[in-house]
Amino acid sequence: MITIISTCKEKLSEEEFVRPLIDLLESKNLEVHVTTYKNPKINGNIVVISGTALRDFDYLNYINNFSWIKNFDGKVIGICAGARIIAKIFNLNLIKKKIIGVKEVEMKDKKLKAYFLTSFLVNENDKIETLARFRNYPVLFKIKNKKVYGFIFHPEALNPDLLLDLII
Amino acid sequence: MKLVSLFTGGKDSVYSIIKAERLGYNVPVLLTIFSKNPDSYMFHRINVEWCKLQAEAMGKKIVYWETKGEKEKEIEDLYYALKYIKESYGVGGVVTGAIKSIYQAERIQRVCDKLDLWCFNPNWLENEEKYLEKLLKDRIKFIITKISAYPLTKEFLGKEFDKELYKKLLKVKKYINIAGEGGEYETFVLYAPNFKKEIVIEEYETIMENENLGYFLIKKAKI
């Protein structure tokens, strides 16, 4: 069972940021449970925290609902807003930077196109391992010694396999 | 929240309105960009003059905005059109029918961001087969009004979407995106659950530029 936590204040945004994740996971015959940032109920040991609309920051008012991530034994994957939540929980430095559109990101052994819809980036620091970067910024990172990952871009758009590789 | 639909008259913009309204959003106004460039990357061209009938059928206002359709300049025109609608109708966001076109989606997101408008793309990343099945289930009645890719031929033009046409599209799915998201075909909606009345086409003309490029032009229609 995989839990998807929606970070969307607006139900219509869930069609854009949550439904594609459900479709992607269900296409691999994975069982999905969906919950919301206002009252997240975790089921199973893999959690995906969704992205949301560029103007939506309501989830930041509920950041305490995510303090469990620090001690969670399973895997947590944050996408955009979800990565911002992870960054907040692990006290990573955030910088304001709006990126909308397709950019080339570099991984260890390849370059790929990724779709960004973000108003922030994370600074490189010793709490994280950078798995992909855009210019000098980590855009896919792993919290060291934890199974906690953050995508600043939206892998469901152009890189679903990157997301699935972390889940399956 | 009050929304404006970025409206082309095709299945995707109509379905995005239906999704919004089912969730309780108010979509009182449609924006149709009339591009003078038939090859616009951003906006449909075929039959958009008939969107006014669809607006009437849905009981909505419609704003037409003309653009020369020059690449990137048409985005400026979209900005001014949405600015006008935001100021005139007090909308807080835009709903679009984008499914997979990142070219369109990122440009609309940027314009919305500049105007402090919410941007909603409720069809985003819909699986093409599942999506067409939803349209069938929800009885969205539409016809194909433009074809522009192999192996689509004249036999598809003007055809109403039903189970038979869906099966035909499935047969060519290795060649095209069968939801038409890559511009393989364009559509015009005649009836949907949010239409009070159906649109009837009384006169039309079909034009074939070559075996896989053709148009179904509505000449006369009524509600």
Side-chain angles (χ1 to χ4, degrees):
Chain A
M1 176 71 74
I2 297 165
T3 295
I4 297 176
I5 305 178
S6 163
T7 58
C8 302
K9 180 185 175 197
E10 297 289 334
K11 289 300 280 182
L12 195 52
S13 292
E14 291 190 344
E15 281 290 318
E16 186 173 345
F17 297 101
V18 178
R19 195 242 324 123
L21 297 175
I22 298 171
D23 287 350
L24 178 65
L25 297 177
E26 287 185 347
S27 73
K28 300 295 171 191
N29 297 317
L30 298 166
E31 211 176 332
V32 175
H33 156 74
V34 182
T35 185
T36 166
Y37 67 98
K38 288 188 179 172
N39 185 21
K41 291 192 165 50
I42 309 306
N43 195 345
N45 61 358
I46 300 177
V47 177
V48 179
I49 310 173
S50 81
T52 186
L54 207 52
R55 293 181 57 74
D56 189 356
F57 301 103
D58 193 50
Y59 61 93
L60 292 175
N61 297 321
Y62 296 82
I63 200 75
N64 291 339
N65 287 353
F66 293 89
S67 51
W68 52 269
I69 294 176
K70 274 195 165 174
N71 304 311
F72 189 61
D73 271 346
K75 194 180 275 183
V76 181
I77 300 163
I79 298 172
C80 202
R84 186 167 187 162
I85 287 169
I86 288 167
K88 286 259 181 197
I89 293 298
F90 289 93
N91 291 320
L92 306 182
N93 286 329
L94 293 171
I95 51 169
K96 276 189 181 177
K97 175 81 180 165
K98 203 166 275 176
I99 306 177
I100 300 171
V102 177
K103 306 289 174 198
E104 189 171 78
V105 305
E106 275 183 63
M107 298 187 74
K108 203 174 180 181
D109 52 354
K110 61 185 171 187
K111 288 180 180 176
L112 45 88
K113 302 276 185 199
Y115 182 55
F116 288 79
L117 191 58
T118 186
S119 54
F120 78 99
L121 288 170
V122 170
N123 265 330
E124 191 123 32
N125 64 73
D126 57 8
K127 291 177 191 163
I128 62 172
E129 188 183 328
T130 299
L131 304 177
R133 67 179 74 241
F134 168 60
R135 294 181 186 152
N136 286 324
Y137 297 102
V139 289
L140 169 55
F141 62 84
K142 178 183 182 295
I143 302 291
K144 281 182 182 168
N145 306 315
K146 295 272 177 192
K147 289 178 280 184
V148 177
Y149 299 82
F151 284 93
I152 306 297
F153 55 94
H154 284 269
E156 72 276 22
L158 294 176
N159 325 95
D161 288 345
L162 270 187
L163 181 58
L164 289 171
D165 285 349
L166 287 183
I167 290 171
I168 300 173
Chain B
M1 189 190 300
K2 213 192 267 188
L3 305 176
V4 53
S5 160
L6 198 52
F7 193 75
T8 64
K11 61 182 177 18
D12 305 329
S13 47
V14 169
Y15 202 52
S16 67
I17 295 172
I18 290 173
K19 282 186 173 181
E21 289 179 335
R22 280 180 180 163
L23 290 169
Y25 294 82
N26 178 16
V27 188
V29 59
L30 316 177
L31 168 64
T32 296
I33 303 286
F34 187 83
S35 177
K36 287 184 169 176
N37 175 6
D39 299 318
S40 167
Y41 284 88
M42 279 296 291
F43 307 113
H44 286 210
R45 164 79 188 275
I46 303 300
N47 297 316
V48 290
E49 61 271 34
W50 296 101
C51 290
K52 62 186 178 214
L53 274 190
Q54 295 167 313
E56 192 183 335
M58 287 186 275
K60 299 182 188 304
K61 298 262 199 282
I62 185 164
V63 173
Y64 278 98
W65 201 274
E66 198 172 280
T67 175
K68 286 181 183 166
E70 292 164 8
K71 204 174 177 182
E72 302 310 342
K73 271 196 178 172
E74 59 188 357
I75 308 304
E76 258 179 57
D77 292 323
L78 177 64
Y79 170 85
Y80 287 111
L82 286 174
K83 186 171 186 284
Y84 165 77
I85 288 177
K86 182 184 176 186
E87 287 162 2
S88 307
Y89 293 87
V91 300
V94 178
V95 59
T96 88
I99 300 177
K100 280 203 169 84
S101 170
I102 285 185
Y103 181 88
Q104 290 174 338
E106 69 176 75
R107 281 159 180 77
I108 295 166
Q109 288 280 2
R110 280 195 202 112
V111 170
C112 288
D113 186 52
K114 271 190 194 170
L115 288 166
D116 289 334
L117 287 168
W118 284 75
C119 185
F120 297 105
N121 300 291
N123 299 333
W124 189 237
L125 302 179
E126 282 271 17
N127 170 282
E128 54 199 291
E129 284 180 48
K130 272 191 183 177
Y131 180 64
L132 290 181
E133 283 166 15
K134 285 181 190 177
L135 299 183
L136 271 179
K137 193 179 162 201
D138 278 321
R139 297 176 188 279
I140 314 294
K141 186 174 175 179
F142 64 86
I143 55 169
I144 292 181
T145 52
K146 179 184 175 185
I147 53 162
S148 56
Y150 173 85
L152 299 180
T153 54
K154 194 175 181 180
E155 68 162 320
F156 286 87
L157 210 52
K159 278 283 179 307
E160 189 178 313
F161 182 67
D162 55 11
K163 281 183 185 168
E164 195 187 332
L165 182 56
Y166 175 53
K167 282 179 192 165
K168 278 187 179 174
L169 288 168
L170 282 179
K171 282 182 187 166
V172 298
K173 73 174 184 182
K174 68 175 177 179
Y175 302 105
I176 59 168
N177 176 306
I178 61 166
E181 181 63 1
E184 295 88 345
Y185 66 88
E186 290 180 12
T187 63
F188 186 85
V189 174
L190 301 173
Y191 188 76
N194 60 342
F195 280 39
K196 294 178 181 77
K197 291 174 184 171
E198 185 166 338
I199 292 168
V200 180
I201 297 172
E202 295 181 309
E203 285 176 29
Y204 65 88
E205 184 186 2
T206 55
I207 297 170
M208 293 303 295
E209 300 273 357
N210 61 47
E211 197 183 348
N212 306 115
L213 175 62
Y215 309 96
F216 178 98
L217 302 176
I218 301 169
K219 295 292 179 185
K220 195 175 170 192
K222 66 174 185 181
I223 290 183

